Amino acid sequence: MEKLRVLWFVVIVALPSMVFAQQKNYGNGNHKGNGFGMAQNGQVIGKVIDQTTNKGVGFATIGVLHAKDSSVVTGVLSQDNGDFTISQIPVGKYILRINYIGYNSIYKDFSITPQATSHDLGNFRISPSSALLKTVKVTANAPAYSMQLDKKVFDVSKSLTSVGGDATDVLQQVPGVNVDVDGNVTLRNGSPTVYVDGKTTLLTLDEIPAEDIARIEVITNPSSKYPASGQAGIINIILKKNRKPGINGMLRAGADTRGGNNLGGNVSVYQNPLNVTLSYFRHQRNNPETTTLTRDNLFNNTFLDQHTDGKNNGSFQMGRLGIDYFLDNRNTLSFDGGIGGGSFNTSQSVFSHYLDGGKALDSTGQSRTVSSRQFRFLSGDLSFKHNFQKEGHTLTADVSIRKFNSPPTTSTVQTQYFDNTGKPMPGNIEQKIVNAGPGRNFTGQLDYVNPLTDKSKLEAGVRASVRNSSSTNDMYNLDGSGSYIYDSLLSTDFNYKESIYAAYAQYSDQIGKFGYQLGLRAEEYTYAGSIPSKGLSFKPENDKLGLYPTVFLTYKFSDYDQLQLNYTRRVDRPRFWQRFPYINYSNPLALTEGNPNLKPEYTNSFELNYSKIVGQTNFMVSLYYRNTDNMITTYTEPYNNSADTTISYSINANANNVYGGEFTVQTQFTNWWNVTGDFNLFQTDINANVKSQNFSNSKFSWFGKVTSDMKLPADFSLQLQGNYNAPVPTPQGTTSEFGFVDIGVKKSFFKKRNLTATLTLTDVFNTREREFDYTIPNVFIQNSIEKRASRKLKLNISYTFGKQDFSLFKRIANKSQQGIQQGGQDMQQGGQD
């Protein structure tokens, strides 16, 4: 295991220094300096734009050819937003050639002279080739959802119903993804790993504003280059990063009928070689909720009827700073930092009615919990990317640091019982609970990509991730004198450290219409926990080096007709709170307890995907099978035979098998209306045994969602989105069906359409809730319904400013070796616009 750590250290330290060493001989090798101040070397800049959508085109091939014989001198790929810079061009006459698959090529003549070493060639508008137009009709209303065989991408800019919301509102619209009323995310009825910009995050999904999200990537069967954690794949949230030239920004504000509001904005300044972005967001939430619970206590022949009213009010704010420094056209250094925090107040009142065997009232209870929670976080990401001369040959290095701090949070709990006449009973309980828990995460990663030939590619990398966290839970009881007395028996503290060291390699090749990719990932996982107050420490025996292979086989009938079979092995390790070895009393009626003997679960996943484009319709079928050993799930039972208090803890079920089919279709009915539908049908078989009880369960289920996007006259847009989820089995029962409908309308104003107003009504029919049925034979039968204030009307206003000002790309002409003085002279202008 130590070898993997040594390998990671050597590679991540040595390779970047090798790359920088290569830069000493960058260019033609005959000139000193960086080339920008030499008369015999020049540069050109420009931008590639899709003529139909008017958006920048990334990864277009930009080549510089000798004018006399069209031989290749050099070349680059355009950036994500279409910008390109080509440097170190000797004096001479050239042809600029722009190629992009499915589009017509563009050629432009230019010259580098001692008197004019730099040129801004402006915008190049590329149009689809006639061959492509025969198959795919270009429309003004591009769909929000694009499907690829290895992943699916959801463009958040097309989403209206999530405006003014957070990441959970966005994920509700993504095909294949489910979000319950508590914000828990599942992918094909499994637990995915959620990343932000490909990295772990300390934020919860409801703390990521929807307007900061550019797109969502759903990867159901990730390749070896991705971490192996996550039972059901990866959901990657990509945040916006502006690289428009000039000064650009946006201001936004909104409010809803539940008393919530939000405001924010961003501004970016891009003048090559520097791009700086600042953003800020704040939202205020007001979320009332109710829970209705009925329980038949079979062990003592009593009944419980319970009703809970709760409120969660608070605010969250976050600021981000992003800096990209383009060292030259081959090397980029980037930094992204964030700072933020939140403050939330929660109150909950529980009314309990205890009934005897004849369902006559025996007694009642009232419990009220009031708590306040604050937290602060800092994050920093530093990235370096080097592009070698060969197209697609890259080396990237990333370092990420996350720091989270939760100051002491106080909760008070008051409980009073009454007899069947309403008279208070002795034993009024009042407690105070103080929680705190800082945490730190570190991740370092190095990735290398080398296209060996036009059809084959080698990828490799190493990664290290270290997470430290601590938690304290101090309990105080109110005595007769009005003082709170510390209760050492009910108080807990816990520290843990989790480390993952990984290395991967994968190779892909194309033989005619058949393609394959083989990969292997090795991960060494270590975990250690301690209880400082008791001087105890423990380390699970199941930590070991794990190997996770991946296989992808693809057959292309045509560019629009493909078949793929893939296999991956993944692991889902217990979270620290699932291993916490003591009872958490923060909710006195619903206790939780960790299981230090909890084992990781391992999943073998198979997929058969078929994708076809027919005219304006994109269709994909996925048949999948997922087998999970030692599945981690939650078990709930009465606490010490109590009639109103339960305790929940995580267990390892024997196995969980899920197999089904997902059908996704996207069609463009007209140039102003497109519809996306996703339907998932699956069978779940769960095999679990707890305390000699068999909790095996099997059930067929399905869920579906349909999104309709319409571009209407007078710059109006309309979006309708509906979801339905059939009942799903759990080891102890069933999650009942639910569905909801959202609607959003957007109006754009002014000639530039840079002022927009979006009106959204979520959960139109007020049907969104979560209902559970729990059963333990001979112990209890329980039903609970959780309902949040999900129906609300939201109004959001946004205003964008700035423009793509290419004049910022102008450069002061450099002095030539012959002493030509041109300081302060703007670059010559040229181009297609």
Side-chain angles (χ1 to χ4, degrees), residues 434-695:
V434 181
N435 304 97
R440 299 184 308 278
N441 293 354
F442 166 82
T443 302
Q445 183 164 337
L446 194 69
D447 296 286
Y448 175 74
V449 180
N450 187 359
L452 304 177
T453 67
D454 292 341
K455 297 181 179 180
S456 63
K457 181 170 62 176
L458 175 66
E459 299 176 78
V462 291
R463 174 186 171 97
S465 175
V466 180
R467 177 180 298 182
N468 291 274
S469 185
S470 63
S471 174
T472 59
N473 189 56
D474 296 329
M475 180 75 72
Y476 299 84
N477 297 312
L478 187 68
D479 65 5
S481 64
S483 300
Y484 283 101
I485 306 301
Y486 178 72
D487 190 335
S488 59
L489 295 178
L490 299 183
S491 300
T492 60
D493 60 335
F494 186 68
N495 296 339
Y496 86 97
K497 180 179 180 179
E498 178 186 69
S499 302
I500 303 175
Y501 297 91
Y504 76 91
Q506 61 186 33
Y507 174 79
S508 60
D509 199 359
Q510 183 79 28
I511 304 174
K513 295 184 176 182
F514 174 74
Y516 66 90
Q517 177 180 282
L518 306 176
L520 181 64
R521 187 178 186 89
E523 290 190 354
E524 178 197 347
Y525 173 76
T526 60
Y527 175 90
S530 65
I531 305 171
S533 63
K534 302 185 184 306
L536 300 177
S537 63
F538 64 93
K539 181 179 181 180
E541 297 180 357
N542 48 40
D543 295 338
K544 61 181 180 180
L545 178 68
L547 298 178
Y548 305 95
T550 61
V551 179
F552 290 78
L553 307 176
T554 305
Y555 187 83
K556 284 189 176 184
F557 300 98
S558 70
D559 289 339
Y560 310 105
D561 193 359
Q562 303 181 53
L563 182 70
Q564 184 189 80
L565 175 67
N566 58 59
Y567 161 77
T568 64
R569 177 171 172 81
R570 303 188 61 76
V571 62
D572 207 9
R573 304 177 180 96
R575 311 301 189 265
F576 91 95
W577 51 267
Q578 292 175 313
R579 281 175 162 167
F580 192 87
Y582 284 98
I583 297 175
N584 183 350
Y585 293 90
S586 59
N587 186 341
L589 298 180
L591 310 179
T592 59
E593 183 180 16
N595 179 3
N597 297 316
L598 203 60
K599 301 177 181 179
E601 63 179 30
Y602 294 92
T603 299
N604 294 291
S605 181
F606 299 84
E607 278 189 10
L608 179 64
N609 299 318
Y610 176 69
S611 174
K612 186 176 180 62
I613 299 176
V614 181
Q616 301 299 304
T617 301
N618 192 348
F619 181 72
M620 174 177 280
V621 178
S622 297
L623 303 179
Y624 59 91
Y625 169 73
R626 189 171 66 239
N627 166 258
T628 302
D629 292 325
N630 295 327
M631 183 189 74
I632 299 174
T633 187
T634 301
Y635 178 79
T636 302
E637 64 181 2
Y639 179 62
N640 290 338
N641 292 328
S642 171
D644 63 344
T645 303
T646 61
I647 185 169
S648 299
Y649 47 89
S650 297
I651 63 168
N652 285 114
N654 296 337
N656 177 32
N657 293 311
V658 178
Y659 46 94
E662 183 178 6
F663 306 86
T664 307
V665 61
Q666 182 182 82
T667 186
Q668 190 92 21
F669 288 107
T670 70
N671 62 351
W672 54 267
W673 182 26
N674 69 75
V675 175
T676 300
D678 180 78
F679 303 92
N680 201 314
L681 298 86
F682 57 94
Q683 173 74 24
T684 303
D685 299 327
I686 303 173
N687 182 10
N689 290 278
V690 182
K691 298 182 179 180
S692 300
Q693 292 278 1
N694 187 342
F695 290 96

Side-chain angles (χ1 to χ4, degrees), residues 224-301:
S224 298
K225 68 183 295 183
Y226 297 98
S229 59
Q231 176 197 82
I234 290 173
I235 294 176
N236 189 21
I237 300 174
I238 307 297
L239 300 181
K240 293 178 180 177
K241 196 168 188 179
N242 184 36
R243 284 184 178 173
K244 296 179 181 179
I247 300 176
N248 300 273
M250 181 180 68
L251 300 174
R252 62 182 186 268
D256 63 57
T257 52
R258 296 289 180 181
N261 60 76
N262 67 86
L263 60 89
N266 62 73
V267 61
S268 66
V269 180
Y270 183 16
Q271 181 173 359
N272 197 34
L274 200 62
N275 178 41
V276 180
T277 301
L278 286 168
S279 66
Y280 173 80
F281 177 82
R282 182 186 186 276
H283 69 199
Q284 177 80 29
R285 294 187 307 196
N286 182 14
N287 293 328
E289 58 185 26
T290 62
T291 301
T292 301
L293 182 146
T294 59
R295 184 189 305 153
D296 182 358
N297 295 307
L298 303 176
F299 65 92
N300 64 0
N301 193 29

Side-chain angles (χ1 to χ4, degrees), residues 39 269 309 381 400 477 521 585 588 640 706 744 785 800 810:
V269 180
D309 289 319
D381 300 318
S400 302
N477 297 312
R521 187 178 186 89
Y585 293 90
N640 290 338
V706 177
I785 302 176
T800 58
K810 295 179 180 178

Side-chain angles (χ1 to χ4, degrees), residues 723-776:
N723 286 260
Y724 174 79
N725 292 262
V728 177
T730 66
Q732 289 182 260
T734 303
T735 301
S736 298
E737 64 179 354
F738 73 93
F740 59 92
V741 174
D742 296 337
I743 183 171
V745 179
K746 183 177 76 171
K747 165 67 175 174
S748 300
F749 299 91
F750 304 146
K751 183 178 180 180
K752 295 183 179 180
R753 299 179 179 85
N754 57 340
L755 177 67
T756 62
T758 305
L759 187 65
T760 304
L761 179 60
T762 60
D763 196 7
V764 176
F765 302 105
N766 200 27
T767 54
R768 193 174 187 206
E769 61 185 22
R770 186 167 71 158
E771 181 176 358
F772 294 99
D773 290 313
Y774 285 114
T775 300
I776 301 180

Side-chain angles (χ1 to χ4, degrees), residues 14-197:
L15 275 184
S17 60
M18 293 169 58
V19 172
F20 279 115
Q22 292 181 4
Q23 304 310 301
K24 295 180 180 180
N25 296 318
Y26 177 70
N28 57 20
N30 297 323
H31 305 293
K32 298 180 180 180
N34 61 10
F36 292 107
M38 310 301 293
Q40 61 268 47
N41 289 291
Q43 70 169 4
V44 294
I45 60 177
K47 186 181 184 72
V48 183
I49 294 177
D50 188 314
Q51 182 175 345
T52 304
T53 64
N54 204 34
K55 293 184 177 180
V57 177
F59 304 103
T61 303
I62 319 297
V64 174
L65 315 178
H66 281 295
K68 62 179 180 179
D69 57 5
S70 297
S71 59
V72 178
V73 179
T74 185
V76 298
L77 295 177
S78 61
Q79 300 175 26
D80 290 344
N81 66 342
D83 291 337
F84 66 86
T85 301
I86 305 178
S87 303
Q88 299 292 328
I89 306 174
V91 170
K93 294 182 179 181
Y94 301 96
I95 302 172
L96 187 80
R97 181 181 63 191
I98 299 178
N99 290 331
Y100 191 69
I101 297 176
Y103 285 75
N104 295 312
S105 298
I106 290 180
Y107 297 88
K108 169 72 176 178
D109 295 328
F110 73 94
S111 299
I112 298 295
T113 67
Q115 294 77 27
T117 58
S118 297
H119 297 274
D120 180 356
L121 301 182
N123 293 351
F124 293 86
R125 298 185 178 274
I126 59 175
S127 59
S129 66
S130 58
L132 179 64
L133 289 173
K134 290 179 181 179
T135 306
V136 180
K137 180 181 179 182
V138 180
T139 64
N141 190 26
Y145 188 62
S146 61
M147 294 180 286
Q148 305 170 25
L149 284 176
D150 59 339
K151 64 182 175 183
K152 302 173 184 177
V153 182
F154 181 77
D155 183 0
V156 179
S157 66
K158 306 294 183 181
S159 172
L160 301 185
T161 57
S162 65
V163 173
D166 51 51
T168 59
D169 298 299
V170 176
L171 289 172
Q172 288 171 16
Q173 301 182 52
V174 178
V177 178
N178 277 334
V179 183
D180 64 23
V181 295
D182 290 329
N184 300 310
V185 177
T186 57
L187 177 61
R188 291 180 177 175
N189 200 36
S191 300
T193 299
V194 178
Y195 291 117
V196 175
D197 288 332

Side-chain angles (χ1 to χ4, degrees), residues 177-393:
V177 178
N178 277 334
V179 183
D180 64 23
V181 295
D182 290 329
N184 300 310
V185 177
T186 57
L187 177 61
R188 291 180 177 175
N189 200 36
S191 300
T193 299
V194 178
Y195 291 117
V196 175
D197 288 332
K199 303 176 180 68
T200 58
T201 179
L202 295 175
L203 300 177
T204 59
L205 291 174
D206 59 356
E207 293 166 351
I208 303 174
E211 280 80 4
D212 279 1
I213 302 174
R215 61 187 183 274
I216 303 289
E217 296 179 345
V218 179
I219 310 171
T220 52
N221 249 13
S223 66
S224 298
K225 68 183 295 183
Y226 297 98
S229 59
Q231 176 197 82
I234 290 173
I235 294 176
N236 189 21
I237 300 174
I238 307 297
L239 300 181
K240 293 178 180 177
K241 196 168 188 179
N242 184 36
R243 284 184 178 173
K244 296 179 181 179
I247 300 176
N248 300 273
M250 181 180 68
L251 300 174
R252 62 182 186 268
D256 63 57
T257 52
R258 296 289 180 181
N261 60 76
N262 67 86
L263 60 89
N266 62 73
V267 61
S268 66
V269 180
Y270 183 16
Q271 181 173 359
N272 197 34
L274 200 62
N275 178 41
V276 180
T277 301
L278 286 168
S279 66
Y280 173 80
F281 177 82
R282 182 186 186 276
H283 69 199
Q284 177 80 29
R285 294 187 307 196
N286 182 14
N287 293 328
E289 58 185 26
T290 62
T291 301
T292 301
L293 182 146
T294 59
R295 184 189 305 153
D296 182 358
N297 295 307
L298 303 176
F299 65 92
N300 64 0
N301 193 29
T302 61
F303 299 88
L304 169 67
D305 287 338
Q306 194 174 80
H307 182 80
T308 302
D309 289 319
K311 292 182 179 180
N312 184 7
N313 304 324
S315 62
F316 171 80
Q317 57 183 335
M318 176 175 64
R320 291 173 54 209
L321 169 65
I323 300 175
D324 294 312
Y325 182 61
F326 304 97
L327 303 172
D328 50 46
N329 68 331
R330 292 190 182 276
N331 298 285
T332 303
L333 190 64
S334 300
F335 169 79
D336 189 88
I339 183 172
S343 178
F344 298 94
N345 298 314
T346 302
S347 63
Q348 185 181 75
S349 298
V350 181
F351 303 90
S352 303
H353 297 270
Y354 305 97
L355 311 176
D356 59 22
K359 292 193 174 182
L361 182 64
D362 178 75
S363 60
T364 61
Q366 293 183 7
S367 177
R368 179 172 175 80
T369 303
V370 178
S371 64
S372 62
R373 180 175 70 95
Q374 295 183 350
F375 68 93
R376 303 288 183 267
F377 74 89
L378 287 169
S379 66
D381 300 318
L382 186 63
S383 303
F384 168 76
K385 183 174 183 179
H386 172 70
N387 295 304
F388 295 92
Q389 283 191 335
K390 182 167 56 176
E391 180 179 338
H393 191 189

